[in-house]
Amino acid sequence: MPASPSTARAINDRLALRLLQQDGPLTASQLKTSTGLSRPTVADLVERLQRAGLVRVVGESDSRRRGPNARLYGIAADRAHLAALDVRTDSVAVVIADLLGATLAEATLPIDGDTPDRPAVQQAVAAVERTARSAGPAPLHSVAIGAPGLIDPASGELRDTAGLPSWHRGLVKELQRRLPATVVVENETNLAAVAEHRTGAALDRDTFALLWLGHGIGAAVMLDGALRRGASGGAGEIGFLPVPGTTRVPSAADCEGGFHSLAGSAAVLGLAAAHGIEARGPAGTGQAREPGAASAVRAALADRGPRGEAFLSDLAGRIALGAASVVAVLDPGCVVLAGEVGRAGGDVLAARVEERLALMSPLPTEVRAGALGGGAVLRGAVLAAREAAQDALFAPGDGA
């Protein structure tokens, strides 16, 4: 059945808006070329989008060329704001962005482990509201939260997971109650994979696996450009993967004995100590100390001696064990090492893991270091919030 005229207009409008968001600003002629629509249809949709306040003239394509054909149209990025949250066990980081994803304000709130749930939630919500106010008067349209743990694929809620602070669940519910905004929750590793795919190390890959190497261990699976979350939202819970080299097997409630016991931050620090590598934070910078496992990797890279070489070789072997299991099942062709340890190890660690992986698997697999470092989760959350805003503001039938 052919689309009704109103539905066809809405679909064309959304296509134009996506092009303006991804490639803009654009002239009407460029929109015509990119969409394949006729010149009158493009002229009509540009006028509609301007009336709706979604698009405005932002300049001209050539100062020597005047008139309607030279006008550059761009998204009205200040129509609404987006919020991105990276919720850790001991902190909440907040970024407020416009509809194009540009950062307008940001803040980080430490939350002491002894803080009761209710005060912790109130402090975090107040930080979000305060940061949003500092970004300007535009309404907050969408909020995306990156959190450790399992996200129920049916309800979109953060599941009660052992080992995570209970205030995490309370924060999501309080934000939904207090803010006049759409609130979405996603696993932090999945968000990191989205960010690396859109703007980072996997920009040229629609199929890859991302290993998050930090305090906790996780993986994200991107197949044909789409995240795969699994039937219960637990795809990538690689910390529970049984591996050789540990003294026990993991249980349903505890990942100790799994891959986490080989490659989590505590295990990396133990390995560093065994090789005589001392973990240090950055000296003389006035900045907070970086995570210990990351500083141990940096110290090994700086060592350039047999101790550092031995540590990096053993660490690469451990990481390759987990990566080999992912490769054997999915054959992703590419594995991205993210998180604090992946960032600290960079191309040197990635190359070593690739060498070890080639000895374990017949499937050719490139191993890359993540390009976005510790900001990958927040960047992915901004992108998720932007998608939520697009779905609401630019959906067919929304009257634009």
Side-chain angles (χ1 to χ4, degrees):
M1 179 184 296
S4 68
S6 61
T7 299
R9 284 195 298 270
I11 292 172
N12 291 340
D13 290 353
R14 184 165 186 172
L15 172 60
L17 285 163
R18 284 191 176 275
L19 287 169
L20 287 169
Q21 192 164 50
Q22 294 168 7
D23 305 325
L26 300 171
T27 64
S29 295
Q30 289 170 326
L31 280 171
K32 173 183 176 298
T33 301
S34 297
T35 61
L37 299 172
S38 68
R39 189 177 300 277
T41 299
V42 170
D44 287 344
L45 73 82
V46 166
E47 183 179 349
R48 270 197 312 276
L49 295 176
Q50 288 185 93
R51 286 199 308 267
L54 296 173
V55 164
R56 64 171 62 110
V57 177
V58 296
E60 292 191 346
S61 62
D62 190 331
S63 60
R64 295 167 297 179
R65 182 185 178 196
R66 302 291 182 179
N69 290 334
R71 291 173 185 162
L72 281 169
Y73 298 96
I75 293 289
D78 57 354
R79 174 186 171 93
H81 287 169
L82 314 170
L85 278 69
D86 183 0
V87 181
R88 301 297 178 99
T89 57
D90 57 356
S91 67
V92 175
V94 183
V95 164
I96 306 298
D98 65 18
L99 288 178
L100 288 175
T103 297
L104 303 174
E106 54 190 326
T108 299
L109 174 72
I111 296 182
D112 190 273
D114 297 328
T115 305
D117 286 358
R118 187 64 182 169
V121 168
Q122 293 301 321
Q123 290 174 27
V125 173
V128 175
E129 293 175 328
R130 185 167 57 250
T131 311
R133 285 194 301 270
S134 72
L140 192 60
H141 187 281
S142 301
V143 180
I145 303 170
L150 300 176
I151 312 299
D152 189 313
S155 66
E157 295 182 352
L158 181 63
R159 290 169 53 182
D160 188 8
T161 307
L164 293 180
S166 55
W167 63 262
H168 281 196
R169 286 170 55 82
L171 172 60
V172 173
K173 293 178 179 178
E174 188 67 5
L175 286 170
Q176 290 170 330
R177 186 183 73 83
R178 290 260 292 268
L179 298 180
T182 300
V183 179
V184 296
V185 188
E186 181 59 90
N187 175 267
E188 60 180 356
T189 306
N190 284 346
L191 289 179
V194 168
E196 293 287 0
H197 180 228
R198 299 280 188 86
T199 62
L203 190 61
D204 61 338
R205 292 276 188 169
D206 280 342
T207 295
F208 68 96
L210 179 140
L211 297 189
W212 184 268
L213 307 170
H215 177 71
I217 295 294
V221 178
M222 185 78 73
L223 300 180
D224 299 324
L227 276 174
R228 304 300 178 181
R229 297 176 176 85
S232 65
E237 286 297 319
I238 197 172
F240 287 87
L241 179 73
V243 290
T246 63
T247 59
R248 50 184 284 198
V249 295
S251 70
D254 187 358
C255 61
E256 286 301 323
F259 183 50
H260 173 84
S261 295
L262 286 186
S265 60
V268 174
L269 283 171
L271 182 65
H275 284 284
I277 301 296
E278 182 180 356
R280 302 189 190 93
T285 61
Q287 299 175 355
R289 292 173 65 89
E290 66 180 330
S295 63
V297 174
R298 293 189 195 280
L301 289 169
D303 180 83
R304 300 181 181 276
R307 292 184 307 176
E309 288 294 316
F311 166 76
L312 291 171
S313 179
D314 284 354
L315 178 60
R318 290 185 176 195
I319 295 171
L321 276 177
S325 298
V326 174
V327 168
V329 174
L330 298 175
D331 186 18
C334 178
V335 172
V336 175
L337 304 184
E340 292 87 354
V341 169
R343 178 188 184 187
D347 293 338
V348 173
L349 180 61
R352 288 172 179 265
V353 173
E354 183 174 319
E355 290 173 3
R356 298 296 290 270
L357 189 55
L359 299 175
M360 299 181 193
S361 172
L363 307 177
T365 306
E366 183 181 5
V367 179
R368 301 178 178 179
L372 303 178
V377 175
L378 277 173
R379 184 60 192 157
V382 168
L383 292 169
R386 196 175 78 175
E387 289 293 326
Q390 285 178 332
D391 289 342
L393 293 174
F394 308 154
D398 66 357

